[in-house]
Amino acid sequence: MTDFYDALETRSSDQRETELFAALPGHIAHAKAAAPHFRHLFADIDAEAIRDRAALATLPVTRKSELIALQQAAPPFGGLAAVEIGRLARVFASPGPIHDPEPHGKDPWRSARALFAAGFRAGDLAHNCFAYHLTPAGSMFETGAHAIGCAVIPAGTGNTETQAQVVAHLKPRGYIGTPDFLKIILEKGDALGLDTSSIRIASVSGGPYLPDARAFYEARGVDVYQCYGTADLGIVAYETQARAGLVVDENAIIEIVRPGTGDPVPEGEVGEVVVTIFNPAYPLIRFATGDLSAVLPGTSPCGRTNRRLKGWMGRADQTTKVKGMFVHPGQIAEVLRRHPQIAKARLVVGRQDASDVMTLRCEALESGEALSAALRDSLSTVTKLKGLVEFVPPGGLPNDGKVIDDTRV
């Protein structure tokens, strides 16, 4: 079997960066011209100047958490779409509700690479158990399977007994869906005395791949590969046979930023995943997913040369309520901006004597009462709440992406 979906996957890192950032100015100009949200957000931005990662990092982010309010204020897509609704292939309603557009074209959600890396090939029959009702996941993976040349059983969710019967009768080679549902189908097949052994490969997403499920599939000889995406962006990164992180899709630019900001963190540090995709119908530029991850060093042993994500590592929105007032990660970032001698900080929220207590733990090369007092003053000014300050040496804070650590629960 061919190892790679196409030659893009083995480009040199320099070639990939050059080609992506050569295309970016035109994409930004298109978004400004055709999507009202980006016309307003990038009003003062010279698209031609955005030709590298440093320049990209100067653009404001659009947060997934803002989509509900944006779409309510400017239906149907909050001004982020660059085509009229009647020119789309499908329109979905994800929980929220958030409405997601699907453009016409081959593999519009970019799932084919993930499926190919999982072992799907032309002529395979795929049992697709992602939902087809209103949400995009079913179509997201079906279009990618079609791009490879697979036939698809649009199985959807639920109806476990029928699912097992269909697998036994049609004998699909591959499964597509959440990590746990295939286990349920196979166990139902066992209970009914059905032969479901045709399934040898699986591409999974949309939930945690837990050790018990992993052991179950390994025992049955099913090769399971994870991928990461969202209902807005499509597929962002995918696992390969190397089992060494998730390789970033060739048509996406990934940044890892400090939660609550748009500021990139050093490679290897955990932060929020921010994605730019080259979708002319829905040109999401610096789209903050709310998910935490980190970039792994080096390239994958499988031969694909793109950056790799460590995987999903939690949620970046760590907003919490202290003494009846919300405290946001962006506020902690603002405190740091006022004190550049602080490399990194984490607000720890706890309880003492039946009262909420905030402690700002700071990595710093220098310390002292003067700096501590200045930090306390900034924390009070920004959050309207008083807090303590504690200094730790550089590297003293865990690399887990937490900006606010609520220890009260």
Side-chain angles (χ1 to χ4, degrees):
M1 293 189 296
T2 304
D3 290 330
F4 306 110
Y5 184 68
D6 60 24
L8 296 179
E9 295 179 351
T10 56
R11 289 180 289 181
S12 71
S13 297
D14 288 344
Q15 181 184 357
R16 180 179 292 106
E17 288 284 289
T18 297
E19 291 174 354
L20 286 173
F21 282 94
L24 186 58
H27 187 56
I28 294 172
H30 164 69
K32 289 180 65 174
H37 170 78
F38 292 109
R39 185 181 307 127
H40 170 75
L41 190 66
F42 297 158
D44 299 325
I45 301 297
D46 176 10
E48 283 299 315
I50 312 302
R51 292 188 172 273
D52 55 31
R53 288 185 178 271
L56 178 61
T58 66
L59 300 185
V61 299
T62 296
R63 299 194 174 280
K64 182 179 178 71
S65 58
E66 300 170 347
L67 284 184
I68 294 175
L70 287 170
Q71 293 190 357
Q72 287 176 343
F77 303 117
L80 280 75
V83 297
E84 297 176 357
I85 192 168
R87 294 176 58 196
L88 295 166
R90 296 182 180 89
V91 179
F92 300 97
S94 294
I98 295 174
H99 296 96
D100 302 301
E102 178 184 295
H104 291 278
K106 179 181 178 181
D107 193 24
W109 301 96
R110 305 176 319 284
S111 66
R113 290 184 191 282
L115 295 173
F116 192 90
F120 288 82
R121 296 294 185 270
D124 283 341
L125 178 62
H127 193 76
N128 185 7
C129 288
F130 278 116
Y132 278 80
H133 178 64
L134 289 180
T135 58
S139 179
M140 185 182 296
F141 285 89
E142 179 175 288
T143 51
H146 286 167
I148 293 173
C150 301
V152 177
I153 303 168
T157 60
N159 303 307
T160 310
E161 184 171 326
T162 301
Q163 299 262 13
Q165 291 169 344
V166 168
V167 170
H169 184 72
L170 296 180
K171 302 193 180 306
R173 178 170 175 265
Y175 164 89
I176 301 168
T178 59
D180 57 339
F181 192 50
L182 174 59
K183 182 174 182 289
I184 294 171
I185 293 173
L186 296 179
E187 288 177 333
K188 176 60 72 172
D190 292 345
L192 296 173
L194 299 173
D195 179 7
T196 57
S197 63
S198 65
I199 293 182
R200 311 309 299 165
I201 56 174
S203 178
V204 301
S205 190
Y209 186 25
L210 300 176
D212 62 333
R214 189 185 302 272
F216 176 85
Y217 297 133
E218 289 176 352
R220 296 184 74 118
V222 181
D223 289 330
V224 178
Y225 295 85
Q226 302 177 81
C227 58
Y228 164 63
T230 76
D232 326 277
L233 296 161
I235 301 304
V236 172
Y238 54 92
E239 191 175 22
T240 74
Q241 291 183 348
R243 308 288 188 183
L246 306 181
V247 177
V248 172
D249 182 75
E250 293 297 322
N251 291 297
I253 299 174
I254 300 294
E255 302 169 89
I256 305 295
V257 308
R258 201 164 314 282
T261 77
D263 304 330
V265 300
E267 185 172 295
E269 185 171 324
V270 177
E272 183 176 10
V273 180
V274 170
V275 184
T276 296
I277 56 168
F278 291 84
N279 178 350
Y282 200 44
L284 298 180
I285 297 167
R286 298 210 83 202
F287 186 76
T289 63
D291 294 324
L292 292 175
S293 193
V295 172
L296 293 172
T299 57
S300 173
C302 73
R304 292 171 178 84
T305 55
N306 207 345
R307 293 184 170 200
R308 293 174 297 152
L309 296 181
K310 191 171 182 178
W312 186 83
M313 301 177 68
R315 293 293 294 167
D317 185 5
Q318 300 152 24
T319 297
T320 192
K321 187 176 282 189
V322 181
K323 295 182 179 179
M325 297 184 64
F326 284 108
V327 180
H328 307 272
Q331 292 174 306
I332 308 308
E334 175 57 29
V335 172
L336 264 64
R337 275 191 283 269
R338 299 182 180 201
H339 303 277
Q341 61 269 61
I342 303 301
K344 187 178 178 181
R346 167 182 299 203
L347 186 72
V348 180
V349 182
R351 294 283 286 178
Q352 183 176 328
D353 299 328
S355 180
D356 294 337
V357 177
M358 300 194 315
T359 303
L360 187 67
R361 304 190 71 215
C362 303
E363 289 188 9
L365 292 171
E366 58 181 271
S367 59
E369 180 53 34
L371 179 57
S372 179
L375 283 162
R376 291 195 300 270
D377 182 64
S378 293
L379 184 62
S380 176
T381 299
V382 172
T383 68
K384 311 304 180 188
L385 295 163
K386 292 183 178 180
L388 307 173
V389 171
E390 176 185 321
F391 294 106
V392 300
L397 294 176
N399 180 22
D400 57 10
K402 284 189 177 181
V403 175
I404 299 176
D405 186 11
D406 192 342
T407 64
R408 294 171 296 182
V409 293

